[in-house]
Amino acid sequence: MTAPRVPELLRRRPFRRYWTGQTVSLIGDQISLIAIPLAAVLILGADAAEMGFLKTAELLPALLLNLPAGAWADRRPRRRYVMIATDLARAALLISLPVAYAFDSLTLVQLYAVAFSIGALTVLFDVCNVTLLVSLLPVDRYVQGNALVNGSRSMSGLAGPGAGGLLVQLLGAPLALLADAFTYLISADRLRRIDPVEPPPAPRAKGDFTAGITWVVRDPSMRALFGASATVQYFNFIFHTLFLLYATQELGLSAGLFGALLSAAAVGGLIGALCSGTVVRRIGIGPSIALGFAVFTLPLLLVPLASGPLPVVVGVLFVAEFVSNFGVMVVDVSAGSLQLALVPDRLRSRVLGALRTLTHGFRPLGAITAGYLGSTIGLRPTLWIGTAGAVLSVLWIVLSPVSRMRELPAAQHVGLSREATDETADEAVG
């Protein structure tokens, strides 16, 4: 009775194992996002500057290493082995923190080193992951596969912080990190149990390092996706840098109420992940991307408009965040699926590395702009700039060939797993 309700991809053992490992690992990541900073504050007494260094150590690898990691990964014959190795290394790094704490030798320097190292390994995992994913999916399942992966990401945002907070409260911050280490071990085990036919390694050639950027700039559809993403990243970081300050200082929300509002509104992302496949089937891949960017950005214009009694303000902010989170998932699923279809296997990791390097570079620019404008023209006018500017991202899609695409173009990849890909629908899920 329940089998028909299970997504078709989850009835295929290879993808199910992959998806299970990634889902568990994403929840574990949310635990670390809480536990590592709390270890710095509660155990080592870190001040604001030291917390800034910790956050910088965590984010710096994404900016510095995506390009070289992408070039390196494209030349590897078995990316899955690299991913397993990074999972095991990240687990070992996390385990080192409670061990050091047990021997009273935990230091901020170790936290910085672990945060940077995990960030670097995560970059390497991600640039390999995009190639492994297309090895597990036929083209007509790109949207469903991306919806399932992004649904897991939304679920981790809902379940992970609560689980992390409870574990920190029950066990303490260092011991809570053991839970995240365990999720990496589960991910490694799931990856070990699949055997996909991966694309052959790209030959070493002149211009390897910049090949991904060159391809993005020259391809009109990828150029539009990058332009839209970069625009959103820049203006959205202007918005998010000051959102909490604006909500608490000018609108009068308490920190607890603000956090609860964001958690409740995150359900919009989960619903978006569940509905994105239907949206793509109804209106096509290109219009879905344009719609997603519009639904992502337009509701946030309500935030600088919010005023009046506290219940009204909370309701307005909830609607803005809920609908925006829905749009984010439609963008991630539809644009991510188109990217999988457009990028050739020989450049897949390099293109992902280029995209992440370029878009991550706009984040600190947006944060710096927010700080300058917020201190000179005020919080609300700066939020108007951030929210209105983000809407411009839709123009990149509307004025490009992407808007005219109804179906995914034929992808160039090796295919599916060596394991049986035509497993019957009544195969047990688990």
Side-chain angles (χ1 to χ4, degrees):
M1 294 292 293
T2 60
R5 300 175 187 169
V6 177
E8 188 270 340
L9 279 177
L10 294 185
R11 296 196 293 273
R12 297 184 177 192
R13 186 182 294 113
F15 183 84
R16 186 171 69 245
R17 287 173 173 171
Y18 164 85
W19 177 81
T20 301
Q22 298 316 297
T23 300
V24 173
S25 183
L26 285 168
I27 294 174
D29 290 343
Q30 294 294 324
I31 296 173
S32 285
L33 284 177
I34 292 176
I36 290 180
L38 283 177
V41 172
L42 300 179
I43 297 173
L44 301 175
D47 59 23
E50 290 165 335
M51 292 301 291
F53 292 145
L54 182 60
K55 192 65 176 177
T56 301
E58 175 190 328
L59 295 176
L60 200 57
L63 183 60
L64 298 180
L65 303 179
N66 264 303
L67 275 179
W72 183 86
D74 271 335
R75 295 195 295 269
R76 303 278 73 77
R78 300 287 280 173
R79 288 83 163 183
R80 181 173 62 96
Y81 292 162
V82 176
M83 294 167 66
I84 292 172
T86 61
D87 272 337
L88 296 176
R90 286 184 289 183
L93 286 166
L94 285 174
I95 291 171
S96 74
L97 296 177
V99 170
Y101 174 71
F103 287 94
D104 198 27
S105 59
L106 183 64
T107 65
L108 279 171
V109 172
Q110 183 179 359
L111 283 183
Y112 298 155
V114 168
F116 182 88
S117 300
I118 288 179
L121 290 166
T122 299
V123 166
L124 189 56
F125 182 96
D126 288 344
V127 295
C128 293
N129 189 27
V130 67
T131 300
L132 184 71
L133 182 58
V134 297
S135 301
L136 291 165
L137 297 173
V139 177
D140 62 353
R141 290 291 182 266
Y142 279 2
V143 172
Q144 186 182 62
N146 270 292
L148 288 167
V149 172
N150 281 285
S152 295
R153 186 169 288 108
S154 294
M155 280 297 298
S156 71
L158 289 171
L166 180 62
L167 286 171
V168 169
Q169 183 174 341
L170 294 176
L171 305 175
L175 291 179
L177 292 169
L178 292 176
D180 190 14
F182 184 63
T183 66
Y184 283 128
L185 296 178
I186 293 176
S187 174
D189 177 69
R190 297 293 91 182
L191 290 172
R192 182 182 65 83
R193 292 172 180 267
I194 62 177
D195 189 20
V197 179
E198 298 184 39
R204 186 182 295 273
K206 184 179 180 180
D208 270 355
F209 193 77
T210 58
I213 293 178
T214 302
W215 196 88
V216 169
V217 171
R218 289 180 177 175
D219 184 88
S221 296
M222 285 299 298
R223 188 166 62 241
L225 292 177
F226 162 68
S229 178
T231 302
V232 160
Q233 293 280 356
Y234 176 70
F235 286 105
N236 217 33
F237 263 72
I238 292 178
F239 169 78
H240 278 292
T241 298
L242 301 178
F243 184 29
L244 186 149
L245 193 62
Y246 167 76
T248 54
Q249 288 194 356
E250 293 203 7
L251 299 183
L253 275 68
S254 66
L257 179 58
F258 182 73
L261 184 153
L262 293 184
S263 294
V267 176
L270 180 60
I271 296 174
L274 295 173
C275 296
S276 55
T278 301
V279 173
V280 171
R281 287 193 297 273
R282 293 284 177 84
I283 66 175
I285 191 71
S288 295
I289 295 172
L291 177 66
F293 273 108
V295 176
F296 172 18
T297 57
L298 283 170
L300 296 180
L301 292 170
L302 293 173
V303 174
L305 282 173
S307 62
L310 185 61
V312 174
V313 168
V314 170
V316 169
L317 296 185
F318 172 79
V319 170
E321 284 291 311
F322 182 94
V323 179
S324 179
N325 285 335
F326 181 96
V328 168
M329 283 297 109
V330 175
V331 169
D332 285 349
V333 171
S334 55
S337 300
L338 179 58
Q339 180 181 314
L340 289 180
L342 287 174
V343 181
D345 283 330
R346 61 185 176 81
L347 290 172
R348 199 170 294 282
S349 294
R350 278 171 286 181
V351 168
L352 178 65
L355 285 173
R356 293 196 171 184
T357 298
L358 293 170
T359 55
H360 277 73
F362 282 93
R363 293 181 176 185
L365 291 178
I368 292 170
T369 303
Y372 173 74
L373 292 178
S375 61
T376 54
I377 65 175
L379 297 179
R380 196 183 294 262
T382 303
L383 289 180
W384 274 116
I385 293 172
T387 53
V391 177
L392 298 175
S393 61
V394 181
L395 296 178
W396 284 94
I397 305 302
V398 172
L399 300 177
S400 76
V402 173
S403 64
R404 299 186 292 274
M405 293 183 181
R406 292 299 183 269
E407 304 289 338
L408 288 174
Q412 303 175 34
H413 65 84
V414 170
L416 303 179
S417 166
R418 291 192 183 91
E419 302 176 47
T421 57
D422 58 346
E423 298 175 36
T424 57
D426 60 352
E427 178 187 343
V429 176

